[in-house]
Amino acid sequence: MAKSAEKLPRGIDRKPGGQYRARIFRDGKRHTLGAFQAIGDAEAALSIARGEIARGTFVPPDEQKAQRIEAAKERQRARISVDQLAEQWFAWLEKIGRSRGTVYTYRSRYRTHIAPTFGVRPVVDVTGDDVDDWHADLLSAHGNGVARPAYLTLSSLFQYAAGKARDQPRSFVPLIPESPVQTVGATKHKRVKDGGDTVLTPSQVRQVAAEAPERYKLAVLLSGTIALRLGEVLALRRGDVATDPHGQVWLRVERQLQARGQGLYVSPPKSEAGIRDLPIPAHVAEHVTDHLKAHVARAKASLLFPRTNKGAEFTHPNTLRNAFNSAVEAAFAGMDEEDQPGPAVFHTLRHSALTRLGQQGATLAELMTFAGHSDSSTVLKYQHSTRNRLAMLAASLEEGAGA
């Protein structure tokens, strides 16, 4: 005689392996509560689920599982330290194409000024008060010249942690809802007397060039007249110099020498605007031919300012900086203090050239071309003289109206 089928309570069936499976309907969907060896356990699971449904507290098992997984991930994210976050951030910056020099600068600032305070701390534990105290201590110890860039680096790091960095993939799961780096006034630029405000006259630029070593005279003149950066000067090659049919000498700028990290290396400009063709003034062009004959090898790829005469090795930026500093000291030695220019560094040459261009009435677009900038706000300061002249004109109109 065939064995009769086992009669089971509603919501329970038996799996092929013999286990009792408990299931319940909720919101038009069947939810499996689990599989049990004993029918009593399956009945207990059903009873608990029905009670939770009656009280409005029922959470389906699949949702419970998802919640447990998310909670585990949240605990894991909560354990991520600022050091670990920084390494992820640096790797991401490299992946999206930030220059080697830029990433090196961020790493250096992080290692020197951020890691000692925040490195081992969990990202989620860093508060706005912590950042305010850190910034205040850094400002007191090192001044705004150190505190501001370090703060900006920390800000970028925590924007990444919050999933709000530019070009950040949507798949990134934020570690924090908002960045705690919100110190009022910390991003404000405060000028220091480091040569950034000094403007050398054309005559003073020629004086400094005259005191520089022979192989660097042209470097001083180029930066002081067409506003080249130090790294751009040292990356120039013979093939970058060309003369057009009208006799105008032009200089192609398309690379820069970097000295950050391990050794010297060449990189492209930060933006396309940095690649530019600049006219060399006639009084400087006169020196170009002599310099090429005396100091540069004949191949087009030969460096314009090699470490040794007609050599193939780059001059280290510090070598040119030191030569410039010595030339400045020699050029203005013996002058009365009131006749001397202010503090001057190599960047003063570029600043001076752009300032004079602004004084001569260069348009914003022309200044951006000479400077190699894609952001107009960076060169607006060089138009201050033009704005002063406009103000004087406006004042004269007012005087005329009262006549």
Side-chain angles (χ1 to χ4, degrees):
M1 182 175 179
K3 186 177 180 180
S4 61
E6 182 180 7
K7 188 175 181 179
L8 298 172
R10 183 183 176 184
I12 298 177
D13 63 2
R14 199 160 190 179
K15 299 181 70 175
Q19 292 179 312
Y20 294 95
R21 179 172 57 186
R23 294 189 291 183
I24 195 168
F25 276 95
R26 174 66 174 169
D27 297 329
K29 184 179 179 181
R30 178 179 289 177
H31 301 283
T32 298
L33 303 176
F36 307 91
Q37 294 296 331
I39 191 171
D41 294 335
E43 290 175 325
L46 271 174
S47 178
I48 292 171
R50 287 167 181 156
E52 290 175 343
I53 290 174
R55 294 189 297 273
T57 60
F58 176 72
V59 179
D62 54 347
E63 291 186 21
Q64 293 181 28
K65 181 178 179 181
Q67 290 174 357
R68 288 194 298 273
I69 293 173
E70 182 57 33
K73 290 180 179 179
E74 186 66 30
R75 289 193 296 273
Q76 185 177 7
R77 287 194 291 269
R79 290 195 294 268
I80 294 178
S81 68
V82 177
D83 276 342
Q84 291 171 316
L85 171 67
E87 287 305 316
Q88 293 178 17
W89 182 53
F90 296 141
W92 174 70
L93 290 174
E94 292 173 349
K95 184 178 180 180
I96 64 174
R98 295 296 168 85
S99 71
R100 178 177 168 186
T102 296
V103 177
Y104 173 81
T105 298
Y106 287 155
R107 282 186 176 276
S108 179
R109 290 176 188 164
Y110 178 81
R111 181 177 61 254
T112 305
H113 302 298
I114 299 173
T117 300
F118 297 114
V120 298
R121 294 184 59 179
V123 173
V124 297
D125 288 351
V126 177
T127 68
D129 288 342
D130 294 333
V131 175
D132 289 349
D133 291 344
W134 165 80
H135 177 262
D137 290 344
L138 196 61
L139 187 63
S140 176
H142 300 286
N144 194 61
V146 170
R148 179 176 179 270
Y151 177 88
L152 290 173
T153 299
L154 184 67
S155 178
S156 297
L157 175 62
F158 273 84
Q159 282 293 99
Y160 174 80
K164 297 180 180 180
R166 185 179 177 182
D167 298 327
Q168 198 164 357
R170 293 182 180 180
S171 59
F172 179 85
V173 179
L175 302 179
I176 50 178
E178 294 290 339
S179 169
V181 188
Q182 305 286 342
T183 303
V184 176
T187 62
K188 186 176 181 180
H189 180 66
K190 301 174 185 176
R191 291 192 175 186
V192 294
K193 294 183 178 180
D194 59 355
D197 292 330
T198 300
V199 177
L200 298 177
T201 66
S203 175
Q204 289 171 336
V205 170
R206 290 193 294 271
Q207 283 179 262
V208 175
E211 297 294 339
E214 283 295 327
R215 65 180 184 274
Y216 297 141
K217 292 183 186 298
L218 181 61
V220 173
L221 293 172
L222 288 174
S223 188
T225 54
I226 58 175
L228 298 186
R229 301 175 176 89
L230 187 149
E232 292 173 338
V233 168
L234 294 179
L236 291 171
R237 298 179 183 274
R238 176 184 279 269
D240 296 326
V241 180
T243 304
D244 68 19
H246 304 288
Q248 173 64 57
V249 181
W250 291 83
L251 188 68
R252 177 73 168 174
V253 182
E254 59 183 9
R255 67 190 79 86
Q256 58 185 342
L257 182 68
Q258 300 274 14
R260 299 169 179 172
Q262 299 296 319
L264 303 175
Y265 63 95
V266 173
S267 68
K270 290 185 177 180
S271 68
E272 290 185 5
I275 300 175
R276 58 206 190 276
D277 293 291
L278 300 174
I280 300 177
H283 73 279
V284 177
E286 296 173 356
H287 296 270
V288 173
T289 301
D290 292 339
H291 179 87
L292 290 173
K293 288 180 180 178
H295 304 292
V296 185
R298 298 185 63 180
K300 286 187 176 182
S302 300
L303 294 172
L304 217 58
F305 301 101
R307 187 174 70 85
T308 57
N309 207 39
K310 298 188 178 182
E313 296 182 12
F314 288 109
T315 293
H316 196 285
N318 286 343
T319 301
L320 183 51
R321 285 193 188 97
N322 292 336
F324 174 82
N325 294 340
S326 298
V328 168
E329 185 175 350
F332 306 122
M335 295 179 73
D336 292 337
E337 186 173 344
E338 60 269 20
D339 295 329
Q340 293 185 4
V345 295
F346 195 88
H347 182 77
T348 303
L349 294 169
R350 172 175 164 85
H351 172 72
S352 300
L354 291 172
T355 299
R356 290 198 303 274
L357 285 168
Q359 291 170 344
Q360 294 299 317
T363 66
L364 189 59
E366 289 166 342
L367 283 170
M368 290 172 66
T369 297
F370 267 94
H373 281 304
S374 58
D375 182 3
S376 61
S377 63
T378 310
V379 296
L380 279 174
K381 61 183 178 181
Y382 298 115
Q383 287 194 312
H384 58 81
S385 296
T386 302
R387 292 197 295 273
N388 289 342
R389 286 202 301 275
L390 290 175
M392 292 174 63
L393 287 172
S396 68
L397 291 174
E398 184 177 331
E399 292 169 1

